[in-house]
């Protein structure tokens, strides 16, 4: 028996955040549902995202939903991207850094891999590695 883990990000702007990752990492939105697709949804939340699946950086899936409370990501969880190609890794690092914060510059590490860490403009921490 097996299982698959997908990251599910609560967001203050699920569509905007998903589109930022499409532009930064490549991929496409597979599907989304809004609260307006359920009966008797209040007008104020009809356009909010209930579920959104994003295929990103190859065959990885990120899930999103709009939150009704302020979103606060913390350092306890990071998303890790491992690349085979240094150029792709550097590009992902640079694009995710736009409007965000470089926590650790992308560079060659003593263990022989390239590594960098960034907090994107939505507050999500990304660890980028090229083995």
């Amino acid at each position: 028996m097996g299982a698959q883990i997908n990251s599910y990000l609560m967001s203050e702007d699920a569509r905007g955040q998903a589109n930022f990752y499409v532009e930064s990492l490549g991929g496409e939105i597979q599907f989304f549902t809004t609260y307006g697709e359920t009966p008797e949804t209040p007008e104020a939340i009809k356009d909010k995202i209930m579920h959104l699946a994003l295929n990103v950086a190859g065959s990885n899936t990120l899930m999103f939903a709009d939150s009704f409370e302020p979103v606060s990501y913390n350092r306890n969880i990071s998303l890790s991207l491992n690349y085979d190609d240094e150029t792709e890794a550097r590009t992902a690092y640079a694009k995710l850094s736009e409007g965000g914060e470089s926590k650790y510059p992308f560079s060659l590490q003593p263990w022989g891999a390239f590594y960098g860490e960034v907090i994107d403009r939505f507050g999500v921490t990304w660890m980028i590695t090229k083995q």
Side-chain angles (χ1 to χ4, degrees), residues 54 66 71 105 125:
L54 171 65
D66 279 317
V71 172
T125 301

Side-chain angles (χ1 to χ4, degrees), residues 35-129:
Y35 285 96
E37 295 175 45
T38 59
E40 300 181 30
T41 300
E43 192 65 35
I45 66 167
K46 283 191 174 193
D47 291 333
K48 296 277 188 185
I49 297 294
M50 186 184 325
H51 300 291
L52 184 148
L54 171 65
N55 175 283
V56 67
S59 60
N60 302 289
T61 301
L62 289 176
M63 302 293 292
F64 295 86
D66 279 317
S67 176
F68 295 104
E69 299 174 5
V71 172
S72 175
Y73 298 110
N74 63 46
R75 188 67 181 99
N76 294 330
I77 294 178
S78 300
L79 298 179
S80 176
L81 283 172
N82 299 300
Y83 286 91
D84 294 328
D85 181 83
E86 182 183 343
T87 301
E88 287 181 17
R90 286 186 182 281
T91 299
Y93 182 89
K95 288 183 176 183
L96 289 169
S97 297
E98 292 173 8
E101 176 186 353
S102 173
K103 292 297 287 180
Y104 195 85
F106 188 81
S107 60
L108 184 60
Q109 301 303 310
W111 64 86
F114 285 86
Y115 174 82
E117 193 171 312
V118 61
I119 299 175
D120 71 27
R121 67 183 185 194
F122 296 97
V124 175
T125 301
W126 293 86
M127 298 165 30
I128 312 290
T129 306

